[in-house]
Amino acid sequence: MVVIFSTCDICDANEDKIGEGRLHVLPPVFLGFGKQVRFFGQARTLKVFEDNVLVRATLETPGQGHVLIVDGGASLRCALVGGNLGVLAEKNGWAGIVVNGCVRDSEELNGCNIGIRALALHPQRSVRKGVGEQDIRVTIAGVAVSPGDWVYVDVDGVLVAAEKLH
């Protein structure tokens, strides 16, 4: 089943939830990559800093239509997701990835049939130490995201909701 939605329509229909803090709009700082300009799913979260070992390990698991939220500390010094991880995410059924940090291999990412949002592009890969946390509450551009929150993304923005809104 294909679900068509608009983040603008979701905001208009849920102004009460915005006022109550149950629906948040991330600041408009994210660039879009991948073939899917519109995607949604429940959040899985990671907190890493300039280290993408946990990103790879998570994307190697079945995504089941989830959206991976990667809190990379807004670092602009290296990429946390590249073309290989984009292919892996597509292969394993992830709906999309939102990176509070950088990605690389933009041409390869744009060939993947998932949606990706990130702060910027950076050609350098991350270190690989395996340091980070998963399935915890993270903060992305000032907005708290918990595992299981619903994430809605289209060309107009990124929304985080405490409940399913479609």
Side-chain angles (χ1 to χ4, degrees):
M1 174 175 88
V2 175
V3 176
I4 302 297
F5 67 89
S6 158
T7 56
C8 296
D9 291 344
I10 290 173
C11 286
D12 291 352
N14 293 282
E15 289 179 344
D16 59 327
K17 289 177 180 61
I18 293 171
E20 296 165 357
R22 294 178 18 221
L23 173 62
H24 299 275
V25 180
L26 268 62
V29 294
F30 295 93
L31 303 174
F33 305 95
K35 288 183 180 179
Q36 296 300 319
V37 296
R38 176 180 288 116
F39 60 96
F40 72 95
Q42 285 187 281
R44 295 272 315 274
T45 62
L46 295 176
K47 184 177 181 105
V48 299
F49 188 73
E50 298 178 1
D51 183 339
N52 78 342
V53 170
L54 285 179
V55 178
R56 173 177 284 282
T58 303
L59 293 174
E60 288 174 340
T61 66
Q64 302 173 325
H66 286 90
V67 175
L68 181 60
I69 304 293
V70 181
D71 179 2
S75 172
L76 301 178
R77 299 190 316 188
C78 66
L80 295 172
V81 173
N84 292 336
L85 295 187
V87 170
L88 191 61
E90 177 184 357
K91 175 184 156 209
N92 288 324
W94 291 86
I97 307 168
V98 177
V99 181
N100 187 26
C102 296
V103 297
R104 68 185 209 157
D105 302 319
S106 61
E107 290 181 3
E108 292 175 36
L109 291 177
N110 286 333
C112 295
N113 193 24
I114 62 168
I116 301 165
R117 295 295 182 275
L119 295 178
L121 289 165
H122 199 294
Q124 182 179 340
R125 69 180 179 189
S126 74
V127 298
R128 295 182 179 154
K129 295 181 181 177
V131 177
E133 300 174 88
Q134 58 188 19
D135 297 323
I136 64 166
R137 184 179 175 129
V138 297
T139 301
I140 305 295
V143 175
V145 183
S146 296
D149 282 351
W150 285 86
V151 180
Y152 296 88
V153 181
D154 67 9
V155 295
D156 289 314
V158 179
L159 306 179
V160 177
E163 61 198 73
K164 187 175 181 180
L165 297 178
H166 66 281

